[in-house]
Amino acid sequence: MSAEKTPSPKPGDGPARPGRRTPLIVAAVAIVAAIGITAAVVGGGGGTTSANGSGSVAVVSGGDDTTRAATVLDRPFTKPGLVLTDTKGQKYDLRERTKGKPTLVYFGYTHCPDVCPLTMSNIAIAKKQLPKADQDKLQVVFVTTDPERDTPAELGKWLPAAGDPSFTGLTGAFSTIQAGAREIGIGIDPPKKGKDGKVVSMHGAQVIAFSPTTDQGYVLYGEDTSVDDYAKDLPKLIKGENP
């Protein structure tokens, strides 16, 4: 089990702690759907974050299908205005480089023992099942939450092994990365060294899908999303449709 940030069912409920987040998200959505109202989805410990940066929380669609991997947001997230450094050491403007393209964004780190490599691997395997033209359209962006260790060179070695050579790896100032993550409801904390000497990066494990037609983040996936889930949804995400 890697140390990841656990989203709180209520904005501002206590500090982040290691653990699994997706069951909490699913449980919250299930409860809300049962009483017929919408639910807030935020990165735990990061306070309430907004779909438009105004401070209000993003809202998820209601419904009674809690077995689906995808959570469709009623109020999509605006794509973060992140300008970071890619694996080639070049400036990478997230909004500019992914404009009009179906894009999956994930915040994680290369020393993560399980969730991060599994997420990248699942997406990579699902991507390979797409027609070549659709594979070329899909953008997968991995933003490190541990920039001190995750240099461009380190990301450049790790991403092809964990996922796919076409995936984009980004690093930069931690404060910039943290602010960008908050814009899409994902809380991250500065990496800390534990008593055993290991460095732990606390972060949310959500994958956010951005539409090629609106450039907004309208679908959220949790850490338990499988290869089959992604394989089923990617053709629709590439067209900007709801999964």
Side-chain angles (χ1 to χ4, degrees):
M1 177 66 63
S2 68
E4 310 282 352
K5 182 176 292 266
T6 305
S8 171
K10 294 181 181 179
D13 274 2
R17 61 186 184 279
R20 298 175 70 85
R21 295 145 309 286
T22 304
L24 294 182
I25 292 175
V26 172
V29 174
I31 292 170
V32 168
I35 59 177
I37 60 176
T38 53
V41 176
V42 300
T48 56
T49 47
S50 170
N52 55 17
S54 64
S56 60
V57 295
V59 215
V60 303
S61 295
D64 55 8
D65 186 1
T66 59
T67 63
R68 295 179 52 134
T71 297
V72 179
L73 302 176
D74 287 338
R75 279 191 251 157
F77 289 112
T78 297
K79 189 177 291 180
L82 279 171
V83 180
L84 296 169
T85 302
D86 65 16
T87 55
K88 297 178 182 179
Q90 302 297 312
K91 183 180 81 170
Y92 188 98
D93 185 321
L94 180 64
R95 286 181 179 171
E96 179 183 297
R97 298 286 290 274
T98 63
K99 184 177 182 180
K101 300 176 182 179
T103 304
L104 302 181
V105 175
Y106 181 80
F107 289 80
Y109 66 118
T110 65
H111 290 76
C112 175
D114 45 28
V115 177
C116 300
L118 178 61
T119 298
M120 291 297 99
S121 175
N122 286 348
I123 294 173
I125 294 170
K127 178 189 172 186
K128 287 183 173 67
Q129 299 179 32
L130 294 168
K132 181 62 167 59
D134 285 347
Q135 290 187 43
D136 293 341
K137 292 176 184 176
L138 182 65
Q139 307 296 302
V140 179
V141 180
F142 180 92
V143 185
T144 182
T145 59
D146 185 10
E148 185 172 335
R149 291 187 294 175
D150 286 346
T151 62
E154 185 68 22
L155 286 169
K157 290 187 297 182
W158 183 83
L159 272 175
D164 187 283
S166 70
F167 289 0
T168 297
L170 300 179
T171 189
F174 179 83
S175 58
T176 301
I177 293 168
Q178 185 180 50
R182 283 176 176 167
E183 289 182 39
I184 55 175
I186 297 174
I188 65 175
D189 288 339
K192 297 179 181 178
K193 184 175 292 187
K195 293 181 180 179
D196 59 0
K198 293 182 179 179
V199 177
V200 175
S201 178
M202 305 288 284
H203 65 91
Q206 302 95 325
V207 173
I208 308 293
F210 289 84
S211 167
T213 58
T214 66
D215 278 319
Q216 292 188 314
Y218 71 117
V219 181
L220 178 151
Y221 293 93
E223 68 172 81
D224 293 328
T225 306
S226 68
V227 171
D228 289 343
D229 293 326
Y230 283 120
K232 180 180 68 175
D233 289 359
L234 284 180
K236 293 181 180 180
L237 296 178
I238 287 170
K239 297 176 183 177
E241 299 174 352
N242 286 353

